[in-house]
Amino acid sequence: MCGIVGYIGAQSAASVVLHGLRQLEYRGYDSAGMAVINSDGALHVRREAGKLINLAQLLDQEPLQGQVGVGHTRWATHGPPCQRNAHPHRSVDGKLVVVQNGIVENFTELRQQLQLDGYTFHSDTDTEVIVHLIHRYYHNGSAGNLVNAVQRTLHDLKGPSAIVVLSQDAPDQLIAARLGNAGGVAIGQGEGEMFIASDIPAILRHTRQITFLENRQMAVITAQGAHYMDLEGSPLAKQSIQIEWNPLAAEKGEFRHFMQKEIYEQGRSLTDTLRGRLDFQQQRVMLDSLNLTDDQLRTLDKVTIVACGTSYYAGLVGKYLIEQVARLPVEVDYASEFRYRQPVVKPSHLVVAITQSGETVDTLAALEEARAHGALTVAIVNAVGSQAARVCDGLIYMQAGPEIGVASTKAFTASVTDLFLLAIYLGQARGTLDDARRAELIQAVAALPGLAGELLENAWQGNLYKDLAERFYQYRNFLYLGRGINFPIALEGALKLKEISYIHAEGYAAGEMKHGPIALIDQEMPTLVIAPRDSVYGKMISQIEQVKARGGLVLAVAHAADETIKAKADVVLPIPISHELLTPILAVMPLQILAYEIALRRGVDVDQPRNLAKSVTVE
Ligand code: M6R
């Protein structure tokens, strides 16, 4: 969840690293720090509690000069977010620093051993054991061989860790290593310069030639290139890949927040998601990267979707899509539950992981579990080259472009669109779709980006959401209701409001309302009702009546021209008419915008809400 950036070359390391950290701040913003070997040959460290801006201000007052350096933004796991616990952590002689993303699970035991050996700890972090271990091996056992000392240290660690090591005794190199599912370690190749980053947006403006470290791999990096090896020191031949993302896509541009940009670019991102995947002549979906034959798809008897957070809610929509279109039973599981409940997984099952970052530790572990049982695995993933993209049998890239805002928006609509494509693809292979139905679905999805663009343009031009936010931002509780394929949209709408406005919101299956939550209804608890003209429209109208009968306020996501809803609800959040199976993708957008506008008025830092991080790489 933390962000790491390293640089070695001819530029100012501090400025390259600071720029990179700005692109990674979504990963953690409890504290930040940097170490650079200055022109005097000594290692200098700057650290500050709080957001990156605090470190930037410190660097203005006390600049770092030098061409090799490493930086870190922290999401606290061990010890409170304060300067003492900020990375980089330094060895007792001050010559060596380490930054880490991950957790040292056996840290208590290692700390005790090191204390017995005379090491004094200056922080509460697990990372500090790593720097002391390297220091101890370097002086005792590795005979001054830093690479060997790092390898020996890594053998002592339990749990996932990505680390970068910099020493003033070896000022012309950085050492990067990865243990387990600690999140990405991307190594970027430049001309006479090299970069390290937890995620590629940090270094995209410098290079698109990237090599990723896998579990138990390390790299010794100089300005000229990288030598890859395993933790035993055996050399590895690794291939770099060319990343096609446009660096500008990871910038905010004219928008106030990344989240705002990512909401309003969904017309474009959905076009990209569909790019190259619809064959209008044959009326078929093409998903070449799925890498599974029609025979394999025909013999499947179950699909299991695993994911976390917003991606999990996308998976719930996927259940409706795949069951209706491909007539295959689908189970959707929180990845964090799946991995620990001894699930029944067979080779005849397809396990689909959905993950924007491709780094979520629970989702990666669920995939491992599925593979261990011989299931076919597919990842729907946004981050190009990420771990999830590399470990599955098949792959569907969301093609949404970098998502930086902590609250996921365009990745949600992209992943639901991908699930729609997957449902058709499975239906094609399994013969559950006749020509007419296939053509109907393909025409419907082709129209989707235009409908999304129209919805978002109207929202951008008008004042509806600003006025609503003004009216509702001080309410303490909200209820979201949906039914059928839009039930997961109620869950997702509530999650969006919770995570960026800190308002309590509950998503509920509308039909369950009478079984308890109806007791909550009063003037103080607005109810968001998702009610497009779909097969459960009549039921949703009854739901609205029931809330109104109890004095509740109703905000309905409904078709703009729906006069029935207009007459019954207090407010209508309009969406255009679309195919029923695609309504979730449009219905979620008003909820994203409303959450954003409410959060603004509550003064929350929308892109970096408290306690959260974009990639959850620790358990
Ligand atoms: O990168 P992933 O899609 O695997 O992330 C899963 C969740 O952590 C993520 O969706 C989270 O719930 C977001 N904050 C939601 O906006």
Side-chain angles (χ1 to χ4, degrees):
M1 334 232 325
C2 305
I4 294 175
V5 181
Y7 175 75
I8 183 163
Q11 301 188 56
S12 152
S15 83
V16 174
V17 169
L18 191 62
H19 173 269
L21 290 179
R22 284 200 182 102
Q23 313 306 309
L24 294 189
E25 206 183 3
Y26 64 84
R27 299 173 70 91
Y29 29 85
D30 289 335
S31 63
M34 191 187 294
V36 168
I37 298 186
N38 270 6
S39 34
D40 60 4
L43 190 57
H44 294 264
V45 175
R46 304 280 184 270
R47 305 186 299 175
E48 258 321 342
K51 297 198 172 178
L52 194 58
I53 182 78
N54 300 349
L55 176 68
Q57 282 163 358
L58 177 66
L59 287 167
D60 282 344
Q61 290 153 20
E62 300 171 28
L64 291 173
Q65 275 132 15
Q67 279 83 45
V68 54
V70 64
H72 187 270
T73 59
R74 177 169 186 248
W75 188 87
T77 60
H78 291 64
C82 54
Q83 194 200 36
R84 182 178 86 253
N85 289 331
H87 299 216
H89 290 284
R90 211 168 177 166
S91 58
V92 280
D93 57 8
K95 292 183 174 181
L96 175 80
V97 289
V98 170
V99 293
Q100 181 213 15
N101 177 22
I103 289 190
V104 181
E105 287 170 1
N106 53 338
F107 121 94
T108 311
E109 171 194 330
L110 291 171
R111 186 176 163 122
Q112 279 163 2
Q113 281 169 16
L114 285 159
Q115 281 169 330
L116 287 176
D117 286 352
Y119 283 89
T120 305
F121 280 75
H122 300 284
S123 78
D124 314 306
T125 67
D126 50 346
T127 311
E128 202 181 344
V129 302
I130 304 178
V131 73
H132 294 325
L133 282 171
I134 297 174
H135 177 269
R136 192 178 66 180
Y137 280 124
Y138 183 68
H139 291 282
N140 188 359
S142 295
N145 180 333
L146 184 61
V147 175
N148 184 266
V150 172
Q151 285 162 347
R152 294 176 77 155
T153 298
L154 290 165
H155 282 109
D156 289 348
L157 304 183
K158 295 208 174 100
S161 272
I163 63 166
V164 177
V165 180
L166 175 61
S167 164
Q168 70 178 49
D169 285 353
D172 53 358
Q173 70 178 35
L174 285 160
I175 300 173
R178 180 174 156 194
L179 270 184
N181 288 331
V185 182
I187 296 172
Q189 172 92 45
E191 290 290 324
E193 56 185 355
M194 294 290 287
F195 307 84
I196 306 169
S198 303
D199 200 357
I200 50 177
I203 51 178
L204 268 187
R205 66 145 66 164
H206 304 285
T207 176
R208 300 203 201 167
Q209 207 59 45
I210 308 284
T211 307
F212 292 95
L213 288 188
E214 304 290 346
N215 180 22
R216 306 192 71 76
Q217 293 186 347
M218 61 188 287
V220 179
I221 301 155
T222 65
Q224 277 64 50
H227 296 286
Y228 298 97
M229 61 192 79
D230 62 21
L231 298 192
E232 277 63 49
S234 306
L236 297 169
K238 287 184 70 73
Q239 293 294 321
S240 64
I241 58 170
Q242 172 80 18
I243 302 290
E244 301 303 338
W245 276 0
N246 174 355
L248 285 181
E251 309 277 346
K252 247 189 324 230
E254 82 224 68
F255 291 93
R256 187 161 167 197
H257 293 100
F258 278 109
M259 183 187 181
Q260 186 189 32
K261 169 181 179 253
E262 288 155 7
I263 290 172
Y264 284 101
E265 72 186 8
Q266 287 176 104
R268 199 264 318 139
S269 61
L270 290 172
T271 304
D272 288 346
T273 299
L274 294 176
R275 199 178 301 284
R277 287 166 171 175
L278 299 179
D279 175 346
F280 290 104
Q281 275 198 331
Q282 308 282 329
Q283 297 290 358
R284 295 180 78 80
V285 164
M286 300 175 291
L287 288 177
D288 298 342
S289 59
L290 202 59
N291 219 14
L292 300 173
T293 64
D294 282 1
D295 275 347
Q296 282 175 304
L297 298 180
R298 271 192 285 273
T299 53
L300 294 176
D301 53 32
K302 184 177 167 192
V303 175
T304 299
I305 298 177
V306 288
C308 301
T310 286
S311 294
Y312 171 78
Y313 297 147
L316 290 180
V317 180
K319 174 179 171 68
Y320 289 84
L321 294 171
I322 294 171
E323 289 189 344
Q324 286 200 26
V325 174
R327 308 304 300 154
L328 254 174
V330 180
E331 186 180 359
V332 190
D333 226 330
Y334 283 117
S336 53
E337 292 296 320
F338 179 83
R339 58 183 298 197
Y340 289 119
R341 71 171 169 80
Q342 299 181 320
V344 179
V345 186
K346 298 184 184 156
S348 57
H349 295 179
L350 175 67
V351 175
V352 179
I354 306 172
T355 168
Q356 187 288 130
S357 61
E359 286 190 348
T360 301
V361 68
D362 287 319
T363 307
L364 293 173
L367 275 175
E368 266 171 35
E369 178 78 18
R371 287 170 72 79
H373 288 83
L376 294 172
T377 54
V378 166
I380 297 179
V381 58
N382 196 36
V384 179
S386 58
Q387 179 72 357
R390 301 201 302 276
V391 298
C392 284
D393 298 309
L395 180 63
I396 306 177
Y397 271 128
M398 293 180 195
Q399 300 181 171
E403 189 182 71
I404 312 285
V406 163
S408 186
T409 52
K410 65 175 179 172
F412 177 79
T413 50
S415 48
V416 175
T417 306
D418 282 329
L419 286 159
F420 185 83
L421 298 178
L422 177 63
I424 301 175
Y425 195 82
L426 287 167
Q428 283 168 193
R430 298 169 62 83
T432 58
L433 290 174
D434 61 25
D435 291 355
R437 174 84 164 146
R438 239 177 34 230
E440 169 203 322
L441 295 174
I442 285 175
Q443 297 310 318
V445 76
L448 180 67
L451 296 175
E454 172 193 326
L455 183 164
L456 295 165
E457 182 60 24
N458 289 339
W460 182 256
Q461 296 299 343
N463 284 323
L464 173 66
Y465 294 92
K466 292 186 180 73
D467 293 346
L468 284 178
E470 210 50 62
R471 181 170 161 197
F472 286 105
Y473 79 99
Q474 283 172 320
Y475 281 68
R476 302 299 310 146
N477 299 288
F478 282 76
L479 186 63
Y480 287 67
L481 298 177
R483 190 154 187 174
I485 198 164
N486 281 300
F487 159 51
I489 300 308
L491 299 173
E492 171 59 8
L495 176 63
K496 284 289 90 81
L497 189 68
K498 275 185 272 213
E499 67 181 335
I500 59 168
S501 71
Y502 316 148
I503 294 174
H504 170 245
E506 267 196 69
Y508 236 85
E512 283 294 296
M513 177 71 173
K514 293 183 282 299
H515 301 282
I518 199 161
L520 293 168
I521 299 295
D522 63 16
Q523 278 285 326
E524 301 302 310
M525 172 105 156
T527 304
L528 269 293
V529 176
I530 299 140
R533 281 206 179 254
D534 57 12
S535 48
V536 290
Y537 176 73
K539 310 279 174 211
M540 294 309 296
I541 293 286
S542 315
Q543 214 64 64
I544 294 174
E545 304 275 14
Q546 287 164 22
V547 176
K548 291 303 301 171
R550 282 151 187 88
L553 279 165
V554 172
L555 291 79
V557 176
H559 296 144
D562 189 329
E563 297 301 330
T564 313
I565 297 255
K566 270 190 205 157
K568 292 182 189 300
D570 296 279
V571 178
V572 174
L573 310 181
I575 56 169
I577 294 174
S578 68
H579 192 286
E580 173 168 356
L581 293 181
L582 295 168
T583 52
I585 299 171
L586 297 168
V588 78
M589 293 178 188
L591 305 182
Q592 296 169 342
I593 302 170
L594 183 64
Y596 173 77
E597 293 291 344
I598 287 180
L600 274 189
R601 278 152 191 84
R602 292 174 66 86
V604 174
D605 183 343
V606 173
D607 282 335
Q608 296 172 355
R610 69 185 180 206
N611 306 339
L612 288 172
K614 184 75 179 158
S615 310
V616 182
T617 57
V618 294
E619 276 195 74

